[in-house]
Amino acid sequence: MNDRHYVLSAVTTFLIGALYAIAVHANVLRVPQDYATIQSAIDTAIDEDTIVVAPGYYLENIDFIGKAITLISSEGPATTIIDGGGSDSVVNFESGEGPTSVLSGFTIRNGGFPLVGDGGGIRIDNASPTISNNHITDNTACAGAGIYIYFGSPVIESNVISNNSQAGCPVGSGGGIHVGGASNVQIIGNVISNNSVGGDGGAINLYAAGDGLIMDNIIAGNESYYGGGVSMINNVDGILILQNLIIANSSVRGGGIAWWSGPPAAIVNN
């Protein structure tokens, strides 16, 4: 065998081995066909796996437990419902998950707490997952009734976040989304409507949230005391608010947008 054939043979062997490793490593786990619950599938999955959930009603509170996996529904949010039972956040990301931890295609509802708690629908704490194409509705919490983000930089894209409300405290914040701590959150292309809290940010509350992008969203019919649509408090001039429709929100101070202790970096083409 000459050198050229030796090299080609070695390269071919390497590629076959690599493709086999990828094929073996990236599994598809199916609920309920293979696993009775979504959490049991997550517990079994390894990084790069995909969990596909069939239409149905799933009474669960799930945790990604730090795994870089994709959790999707086969038929979309209208027929695939995860119900938190009013006992905790419906979905938790609290173990350093990154953008390859993906939640897509579910109705996330009825998350909440018997007493005080944050993040009724989805709780993101020191994590940066991708949340896309979900309906996040009818959840309650003290902060972030729909989605609670604390020191994370997630992508929140193409979701419907609606009818979430304050519970468990006298003054809540972030009926749709609450962002706290230095983050670089991307809130893009969502419909955020008819959420309500007694405090700050009927749709979105940003509290010392660092940088971020709020773009191409419909923010409508939300209510709060301060910043019916968007509230910004103690931010560091890094928030870009671009090309949103902000309409029919209500508040005692700042029906559409309110801020103090530093304006956003830009409010353009809204």
Side-chain angles (χ1 to χ4, degrees):
M1 180 181 292
N2 61 36
D3 290 345
R4 180 173 180 273
H5 286 160
Y6 178 82
V7 171
L8 287 174
S9 176
V11 169
T12 300
T13 300
F14 172 79
L15 290 174
I16 290 172
L19 289 172
Y20 176 77
I22 292 170
V24 169
H25 187 65
N27 300 305
V28 176
L29 292 70
R30 300 187 182 277
V31 178
Q33 296 93 323
D34 303 325
Y35 297 88
T37 66
I38 297 170
Q39 188 63 52
S40 64
I42 294 173
D43 292 343
T44 302
I46 59 177
D47 288 351
E48 299 182 21
D49 282 354
T50 297
I51 299 172
V52 180
V53 181
Y57 174 85
Y58 300 88
L59 182 61
E60 297 190 54
N61 305 96
I62 66 173
D63 193 324
F64 267 59
I65 53 176
K67 296 187 177 182
I69 57 176
T70 297
L71 177 62
I72 62 173
S73 69
S74 61
E75 300 294 334
T79 57
T80 316
I81 299 162
I82 309 176
D83 188 307
S87 61
D88 201 345
S89 303
V90 183
V91 184
N92 285 279
F93 298 90
E94 300 182 286
S95 303
E97 294 86 354
T100 54
S101 297
V102 178
L103 175 71
S104 182
F106 297 91
T107 289
I108 307 296
R109 78 177 190 194
N110 197 24
F113 305 89
L115 299 173
V116 176
D118 300 325
I122 299 173
R123 181 179 174 85
I124 300 169
D125 188 341
N126 284 278
S128 303
T130 300
I131 310 297
S132 66
N133 299 301
N134 303 285
H135 291 177
I136 302 162
T137 185
D138 296 320
N139 301 285
T140 61
C142 187
I147 302 174
Y148 176 85
I149 301 162
Y150 182 70
F151 282 98
S153 300
V155 175
I156 312 295
E157 185 170 13
S158 300
N159 303 280
V160 175
I161 304 168
S162 65
N163 299 310
N164 302 288
S165 59
Q166 166 191 326
C169 56
V171 180
S173 63
I177 302 171
H178 173 92
V179 184
S183 304
N184 186 21
V185 64
Q186 312 290 302
I187 301 173
I188 302 170
N190 304 279
V191 176
I192 309 173
S193 64
N194 300 316
N195 304 285
S196 63
V197 290
D200 305 322
I204 301 171
N205 183 52
L206 301 148
Y207 185 83
D211 297 336
L213 175 64
I214 300 173
M215 184 174 74
D216 291 336
N217 302 282
I218 298 172
I219 300 171
N222 303 283
E223 298 181 3
S224 69
Y225 178 82
Y226 186 87
V230 180
S231 171
M232 293 168 282
I233 302 170
N234 291 340
N235 289 300
V236 290
D237 304 347
I239 304 296
L240 303 176
I241 301 177
L242 309 176
Q243 299 172 190
N244 303 279
L245 174 63
I246 304 173
I247 185 170
N249 303 284
S250 62
S251 179
V252 174
R253 296 183 176 182
I257 301 175
W259 69 82
W260 61 272
S261 191
I267 301 177
V268 180
N269 290 339
N270 299 282

